[in-house]
Amino acid sequence: PAIFTANASGNGQGAVVNLQGQTAAAATPVARGQYIQIYCVGLGAVSNQPPTGDAAVGASSATLDTPTVTIGGTQVPSSYAGLAPGFVGVYQVNALVPLGITPGSAVPLNVSLNGAESQTVTIAVQ
């Protein structure tokens, strides 16, 4: 897996938003106990695969294997992992930011699936 980043370099601020669509950046940090959406690639096969080149419709194309998200050193299960609605070939992983993590402007986050780990990106958490 690989997480998209704000600067498209693969480093730094992750392409991660809260459920209101705000980026989890220093100016708009996510709150502990809030769900986030992580945009990434490389999560494998999905149920209800759309035709090649077509965008996913709704949350109908879930991954066959469930990834794990690590936020601030704490592993959390994903509540949804699958193709991102309205996008072609982009995955979305939803996860709950743990209440017990230390807030900051560069909290580490990564996604793992079947022993393969993404790069570590950062998010801002309040």
Side-chain angles (χ1 to χ4, degrees):
I3 300 170
F4 290 107
T5 58
N7 65 9
S9 73
N11 298 311
Q13 171 67 48
V16 178
V17 298
N18 65 22
L19 295 183
Q20 291 74 38
Q22 296 174 310
T23 304
T28 53
V30 296
R32 291 172 286 174
Q34 183 177 43
Y35 278 93
I36 55 173
Q37 298 171 333
I38 305 158
Y39 292 97
C40 56
V41 295
L43 296 181
V46 297
S47 61
N48 195 31
Q49 175 72 43
T52 299
D54 284 1
V57 178
S60 63
S61 298
T63 58
L64 299 183
D65 295 315
T66 304
T68 299
V69 177
T70 302
I71 304 171
T74 302
Q75 282 193 350
V76 296
S78 57
S79 60
Y80 169 77
L83 294 177
F87 291 93
V88 177
V90 175
Y91 291 86
Q92 172 183 320
V93 178
N94 297 352
L96 186 66
V97 177
L99 291 172
I101 66 167
T102 303
S105 61
V107 175
L109 175 146
N110 69 21
V111 174
S112 60
L113 181 69
N114 298 329
E117 232 176 74
S118 73
Q119 84 278 28
T120 298
V121 299
T122 61
I123 62 171
V125 177
Q126 64 181 4

